[in-house]
Amino acid sequence: MPRRTEILRLPMAAPDDVSALAAALEAGRLAPEAVVAVFAKTEGNGCVNDFTRPFAVHALRALFAPHLSEAALARIALVMSGGTEGGLSPHWLVVSVAEAAGPGPALAVGQARTPVLAAEDLGRRAQVRMVAAGVRAAMTEAGLAPDEVHYVQVKCPLLTSERIGAALARGAVPATRDTLKSMGLSRGASALGAALALGEVGEEAIPDAVAEAPSGLFARRCGASAGVELLDHEIVVMGMSPDWTGPLVIDHAVMADAIDVPPVAACLARLGLAGPGGFVDEAGRARLAAVLAKAEASSDGLIRGRRHTMLTDSDISSTRHARGFVAGALAGLTGMTDLFVSGGAEHQGPDGGGPVAVIARREG
Amino acid sequence: MPRRTEILRLPMAAPDDVSALAAALEAGRLAPEAVVAVFAKTEGNGCVNDFTRPFAVHALRALFAPHLSEAALARIALVMSGGTEGGLSPHWLVVSVAEAAGPGPALAVGQARTPVLAAEDLGRRAQVRMVAAGVRAAMTEAGLAPDEVHYVQVKCPLLTSERIGAALARGAVPATRDTLKSMGLSRGASALGAALALGEVGEEAIPDAVAEAPSGLFARRCGASAGVELLDHEIVVMGMSPDWTGPLVIDHAVMADAIDVPPVAACLARLGLAGPGGFVDEAGRARLAAVLAKAEASSDGLIRGRRHTMLTDSDISSTRHARGFVAGALAGLTGMTDLFVSGGAEHQGPDGGGPVAVIARREG
Amino acid sequence: MPRRTEILRLPMAAPDDVSALAAALEAGRLAPEAVVAVFAKTEGNGCVNDFTRPFAVHALRALFAPHLSEAALARIALVMSGGTEGGLSPHWLVVSVAEAAGPGPALAVGQARTPVLAAEDLGRRAQVRMVAAGVRAAMTEAGLAPDEVHYVQVKCPLLTSERIGAALARGAVPATRDTLKSMGLSRGASALGAALALGEVGEEAIPDAVAEAPSGLFARRCGASAGVELLDHEIVVMGMSPDWTGPLVIDHAVMADAIDVPPVAACLARLGLAGPGGFVDEAGRARLAAVLAKAEASSDGLIRGRRHTMLTDSDISSTRHARGFVAGALAGLTGMTDLFVSGGAEHQGPDGGGPVAVIARREG
Amino acid sequence: MPRRTEILRLPMAAPDDVSALAAALEAGRLAPEAVVAVFAKTEGNGCVNDFTRPFAVHALRALFAPHLSEAALARIALVMSGGTEGGLSPHWLVVSVAEAAGPGPALAVGQARTPVLAAEDLGRRAQVRMVAAGVRAAMTEAGLAPDEVHYVQVKCPLLTSERIGAALARGAVPATRDTLKSMGLSRGASALGAALALGEVGEEAIPDAVAEAPSGLFARRCGASAGVELLDHEIVVMGMSPDWTGPLVIDHAVMADAIDVPPVAACLARLGLAGPGGFVDEAGRARLAAVLAKAEASSDGLIRGRRHTMLTDSDISSTRHARGFVAGALAGLTGMTDLFVSGGAEHQGPDGGGPVAVIARREG
């Protein structure tokens, strides 16, 4: 029997505000046992000490606990991404899968978790391989071939002072002692893991130390997000499958730099969402289910030859700058602000650019 | 004899980097005595303790001092605007005016300075009137009628702890004792002053305390920017005049909210700058001389009904959030990052939106 | 039968880390039904969007829920104070009260909650009166007379964009629309409420708008802390009572400015905690149960005639500056960093200074 | 003929405010040709994009330019240190040296500049050696033996995105591509250079990559400060010499951690500055000429076994946290806030601690 995906995009008044999900449960619009993943943009700084992510996880667990067994609850991928800079709006994306009769193709979703990552493996080839195995498991679960995949979302761990200290105490050497930097290494290794599983890069091209991987080595269909609330990886794979049914479709684009909006406009047009002047209008927005994108500051300090200051601003993390800025570019195009724009696009798209996935409902 | 405006848009490697201007002087592309205004986006926080603005002013003065008398130098409007969040690129806009034969209409520029503003007048009707008089003087200088004006740029003062203390010491009561808040009041009063001079609002509608002016009361063609480096106002008026000549033209748009890009796209199209899909392409960018815009967080905490977090983020000023976000929207459209996006759009366009001016070279 | 207070000071590895409390429960060192208050310094920014406070509350509730009825749990005062700038260490202070035979005097603790505060009453005399009534109720509960009180801790609400909007929607006018500013008004009104109840100020001296109260009007024995996680006030009163018993004693000092350490040294000496050179040594620290203090930036921008920059730094809130700085002064004296230093001392001690309470175990 | 040092400690209303120096020049209290060094605490963030340092340098140069030849001006060490967190007060320390008859010993001051440091040498042994040579030259100039030295101040360069890019473009590999991290590497290499010159560490103990040097390897009498405004090193050595005369004396202490105030109290007592309870009183403060100290967050995330959050706070740089906190500890002891507390104490004192130098006028 074919499977069918449903996505609810719901507002969040605070990191622990699950009232919109509770209302959907109450109204029967959401079946707890069908939920496979919950994404959220929470309003912390998206960096090391962003506790809005685990706070949201606590609230979600408390919401679902009365409905699901411990094991069933643990199977839901909880992908919290901190940082709603600029006009970004904190929101939930609740992804459900159920069996349903009907024609394909349609959005297919698979997911997987990896084992716990040792602190000293973070940012090294061991992490790349662990994530690649996880992405393959998720593709298998969804019945997706590599070229049918449009987006892989990986939630990956980071290093805290405590985790670094514990590793050192047992004689292990982490790839970095800088907690903020560990986030970037973890995201980069995760992206290379996805690229490996998708056949976008070969394993021989990936050095043991991800910090030494050239920026030209990247995944075109992966967003990775690091958080203090997990020690393993949560992986969600999304693609178009003839064996799935339902109203949702997915497509993707790659931005070459932080202001490279035309490929996203073309993607929206392919999905029939382009209104007058190319902008998404009311009717289009009603059909837009989700936009997922990655943002980062280009490492050479330039955008199209003009200097940016994201990397030299010691008051605001470059990830916060990049998120708000790219969010502006995408919000201007789509006319909506509840976009899942996540910061830190190391090896996710070209240096300074990043991948964008768009999920929409079919017309009519 | 008609006058003609020229604008150079030049990069800035640091707040005191005037090397691009020096090179233009050296090459004869810039005549010191023709300079009427220098705008700059500098890379500070754009808030109270942003010393990149006065630092840039020091460097400009040192550059021009060998070429101009003290009095001539003092006549140049130096409009430093701090804050290059997201991908914004620090840059100079050097505006020169000279007599030249030729047909009109073309971009006309006038400027004026007001008397020093007493600390207790900041944010009150006295400031509104002072700015209105200054705008009228600048229009007169340019020979522009109110309906020919497309943009008024006002650089206005703010209150520091010292200025507040000095006012209190002599028995005067400033409108606020909050230094950051004083920037918003000063910008708001300046905008209402411009609106008054342009006939957009009537004096009777403006309350004595600008803090109490309804947000529906706003200027459609004014950007105001506050800085610690001046105690008076520097006003530059720009419009289209049949009595001016040269290659430059100006038009403007009003964004209804922070993501309302279509009116700007329409403005670009009117100027013949819209490429494929409505985006400005290489050829268009070659003709784009300057984009000036204002950005702010909507005061109700919402964009199109979705919550934003700019006003409740105690780590980053809402002006910084708004600048980076709106800059993203405009950079996505224009494909360039050296945009003069300035934060704090109190009474400059509708609440949460703001005015945008585009200056371009004629085709061919 | 006399009552006896016990205080546990326990470390916190993250805002939701209650493992040290869980271990104390397990080991029988903590009886859930005896807990009357839990204070915590959590590691957020201590400002509007500090979700580490409600996150800690969630974790505490989950810890106690299996042991206490809903009503019993609701009676525990949960006083989360965000902000561990500088070397401050996140920690819990768990206050328990039980009946016990023995001689007095000793530390007595009483507590109370007020009704929910309407948004438009925040920062106004209605809030002052509400808090005064709460402080009186807490004193009555503890059997403390005003002159026996050494410290009143008030946790008070703040305004969010949502609360402000809701008030305006029903025609009510909040004292401010600035969310960060609402924290200061709420703290100031709470302190004046405590001062009123303690007889330190007379009701006639307090204006309706707390913003207009002179800074010379202040409580000498009150610390107030604002948080997004409550809508009413949680009040804890501490003093020395002949009717209480046990090892704990309390004393207090008032710092005249942010570096006025000698009165605190004198307080420590009175409690027998001064070691060589006046500093608390190992033996003294073993007897130190808790230090509670308030910190703020002086409103005239000066400390002993020298300019400080806390009020003009738009990158870091002055409350964060002040907390880390005063914490340094007190940590240098006491040799410990798990101090309950809370920011924003409006009407709590003189302008720029603040009250300090020290709780210690008796010698021997 | 013996030499004699004089130090003026003067307030600064803004980074370019040299009015107090101008007044001293005017009044004849300051002879331009006698000035050998100017230290300043300026009010920026003390990190990469702190332009208050070069702004102050611009203002100083403009002040002295009419009085000194270009060469004489270039010989003055300009040691700007950004960051006045907490209650720290922006100020100037102007150090003058002149020949004068009289008995010794007294404060002796020597200074030197190094060649320009190549970007790829920063944080490597080449920088250590370059600084060691500079310190030796400064000692020679002052006639100080290593064991007579109490403090070495080094102002060292940092890497910007531009400098990193330029190095990479010519095939050189900088020790880091992280601009903020380059500041710490530069400070650490500078401190090890001073330690080498002072005989505190042996050259064989210093690895090529300073990042790999154990934290137990440190200078006990050196403070280093990195800034964007120079490409070489400015070195000032201070000590007690029998060949110098005048009222000033110097002593130093080493703090073992961020709250280890007793060694500083002992140093103040040795200088006769300890008033009642060990605190410096009015009379002592009148004799205190300068306090120079370094502050940093301990790398294990702990102070005396208690967790601090300076390294995991992604909103505020740990250098800013540490400066404000240690400043509080020292201001509590000395009762003054115009202290030269500089952040980032890599290899300057033990991990998490730092050196402190106190300069005082003799009694009577």
Side-chain angles (χ1 to χ4, degrees), chain A residues 218-221 252-257 260 263-264 348-350 353-356:
Chain A
F218 58 80
R220 300 178 63 82
R221 294 167 282 165
H252 79 275
V254 178
M255 293 171 74
D257 61 27
D260 186 26
V264 186
Q348 301 148 64
V356 181

Side-chain angles (χ1 to χ4, degrees), chain C residues 12 43 89 306-307 338, chain D residues 12 43 89 306-307 338:
Chain C
M12 178 194 258
E43 61 199 277
S89 191
R306 298 283 189 278
R307 184 170 74 101
D338 39 357
Chain D
M12 178 194 261
E43 62 200 277
S89 191
R306 298 283 191 275
R307 184 170 73 100
D338 38 1

Side-chain angles (χ1 to χ4, degrees), chain B residues 51-329:
Chain B
F51 296 101
T52 64
R53 293 175 305 219
F55 193 20
V57 166
H58 272 238
L60 278 176
R61 290 207 172 121
L63 174 75
F64 286 125
H67 303 281
L68 296 174
S69 69
E70 190 72 27
L73 214 162
R75 273 196 295 273
I76 301 177
L78 302 178
V79 185
M80 309 293 106
S81 165
T84 56
E85 291 78 10
L88 280 177
S89 191
H91 66 284
W92 306 96
L93 292 174
V94 188
V95 185
S96 303
V97 169
E99 299 203 334
L107 172 63
V109 175
Q111 53 117 326
R113 284 191 88 124
T114 69
V116 164
L117 181 74
E120 62 270 28
D121 286 345
L122 188 147
R124 296 215 168 98
R125 201 185 285 142
Q127 187 180 12
V128 174
R129 283 181 183 145
M130 183 184 280
V131 171
V135 172
R136 283 187 200 104
M139 286 195 289
T140 300
E141 205 235 315
L144 283 166
D147 65 350
E148 291 172 332
V149 171
H150 285 279
Y151 211 68
V152 177
Q153 177 68 38
V154 184
K155 182 85 204 194
C156 55
L158 55 81
L159 298 181
T160 58
S161 300
E162 291 75 29
R163 293 181 196 172
I164 293 166
L168 292 169
R170 61 184 157 75
V173 182
T176 182
R177 299 188 189 189
D178 180 324
T179 57
L180 191 56
K181 198 170 177 179
S182 78
M183 299 180 77
L185 291 179
S186 186
R187 288 186 297 252
S190 296
L192 292 176
L196 188 57
L198 295 176
E200 295 181 338
V201 306
E203 185 160 0
E204 71 294 342
I206 303 171
D208 179 55
V210 164
E212 290 163 16
S215 66
L217 206 65
F218 58 80
R220 300 179 62 82
R221 295 167 283 166
C222 175
S225 174
V228 78
E229 70 276 17
L230 81 177
L231 296 169
D232 59 348
H233 301 79
E234 295 202 311
I235 296 167
V236 180
V237 169
M238 293 182 280
M240 285 299 287
S241 165
D243 301 329
W244 288 59
T245 189
L248 295 174
V249 292
I250 186 171
D251 200 343
H252 78 275
V254 178
M255 294 172 72
D257 60 29
I259 60 177
D260 186 26
V261 173
V264 185
C267 175
L268 292 165
R270 286 195 302 274
L271 292 165
L273 296 168
F279 299 101
V280 180
D281 60 9
E282 279 290 331
R285 275 195 289 281
R287 291 179 39 226
L288 246 180
V291 177
L292 301 101
K294 291 297 302 188
E296 72 175 350
S298 62
S299 66
D300 65 357
L302 300 173
I303 297 174
R304 302 190 188 178
R306 298 283 190 276
R307 184 169 72 100
H308 66 71
T309 60
M310 296 188 267
L311 297 176
T312 50
D313 186 344
S314 304
D315 295 310
I316 301 180
S317 163
S318 69
T319 53
R320 303 201 74 180
H321 274 295
R323 236 171 351 238
F325 184 67
V326 172

Side-chain angles (χ1 to χ4, degrees), chain D residues 83-183:
Chain D
T84 55
E85 291 79 10
L88 279 176
S89 191
H91 67 284
W92 307 96
L93 292 173
V94 187
V95 184
S96 304
V97 169
E99 299 203 334
L107 172 63
V109 175
Q111 52 117 325
R113 283 190 90 124
T114 69
V116 164
L117 182 75
E120 62 271 27
D121 286 345
L122 187 148
R124 296 217 169 97
R125 200 185 286 142
Q127 187 181 12
V128 174
R129 282 181 185 145
M130 182 184 278
V131 171
V135 172
R136 284 188 201 106
M139 286 195 289
T140 300
E141 204 234 315
L144 283 166
D147 64 349
E148 291 172 331
V149 171
H150 284 280
Y151 211 67
V152 177
Q153 177 68 36
V154 184
K155 182 84 205 195
C156 55
L158 55 82
L159 299 180
T160 58
S161 300
E162 289 77 26
R163 293 181 196 172
I164 293 166
L168 293 169
R170 60 182 157 78
V173 182
T176 183
R177 297 185 191 192
D178 180 324
T179 57
L180 192 55
K181 197 170 176 179
S182 77
M183 299 180 78

Side-chain angles (χ1 to χ4, degrees), chain C residues 7-198:
Chain C
I7 292 184
L8 291 180
R9 193 171 83 246
L10 298 169
M12 178 194 258
D16 62 330
D17 173 32
V18 293
S19 60
L21 282 78
L25 286 174
E26 182 106 351
R29 287 182 298 125
L30 186 61
E33 66 283 357
V35 176
V36 296
V38 183
F39 292 61
K41 279 305 304 176
T42 63
E43 61 199 277
N45 60 23
C47 301
V48 175
N49 64 329
D50 181 353
F51 296 102
T52 63
R53 293 174 306 219
F55 193 19
V57 165
H58 272 238
L60 278 176
R61 289 207 174 120
L63 174 76
F64 287 125
H67 303 282
L68 297 174
S69 69
E70 190 71 28
L73 214 162
R75 273 194 297 270
I76 301 177
L78 302 179
V79 185
M80 310 293 105
S81 166
T84 56
E85 291 78 11
L88 280 176
S89 191
H91 66 284
W92 306 97
L93 292 173
V94 188
V95 184
S96 304
V97 169
E99 300 204 332
L107 172 63
V109 176
Q111 52 118 323
R113 282 190 90 123
T114 69
V116 164
L117 180 76
E120 63 271 27
D121 286 347
L122 188 147
R124 296 213 169 100
R125 200 185 284 143
Q127 187 181 12
V128 175
R129 282 180 184 145
M130 184 184 277
V131 171
V135 172
R136 284 187 200 105
M139 287 196 287
T140 300
E141 206 234 315
L144 283 166
D147 63 351
E148 291 171 334
V149 171
H150 285 279
Y151 211 67
V152 177
Q153 176 67 38
V154 183
K155 182 86 205 194
C156 55
L158 56 81
L159 298 181
T160 59
S161 300
E162 291 76 28
R163 292 181 197 173
I164 293 167
L168 293 170
R170 61 183 158 76
V173 181
T176 181
R177 298 186 189 191
D178 179 324
T179 57
L180 192 56
K181 196 169 179 182
S182 77
M183 299 180 76
L185 291 180
S186 188
R187 287 187 298 251
S190 296
L192 292 177
L196 187 59
L198 295 176

Side-chain angles (χ1 to χ4, degrees), chain A residues 12 43 89 306-307 338, chain B residues 12 43 89 306-307 338:
Chain A
M12 178 195 258
E43 61 198 279
S89 191
R306 297 282 191 277
R307 184 170 73 101
D338 39 358
Chain B
M12 178 194 258
E43 61 197 282
S89 191
R306 298 283 190 276
R307 184 169 72 100
D338 39 357

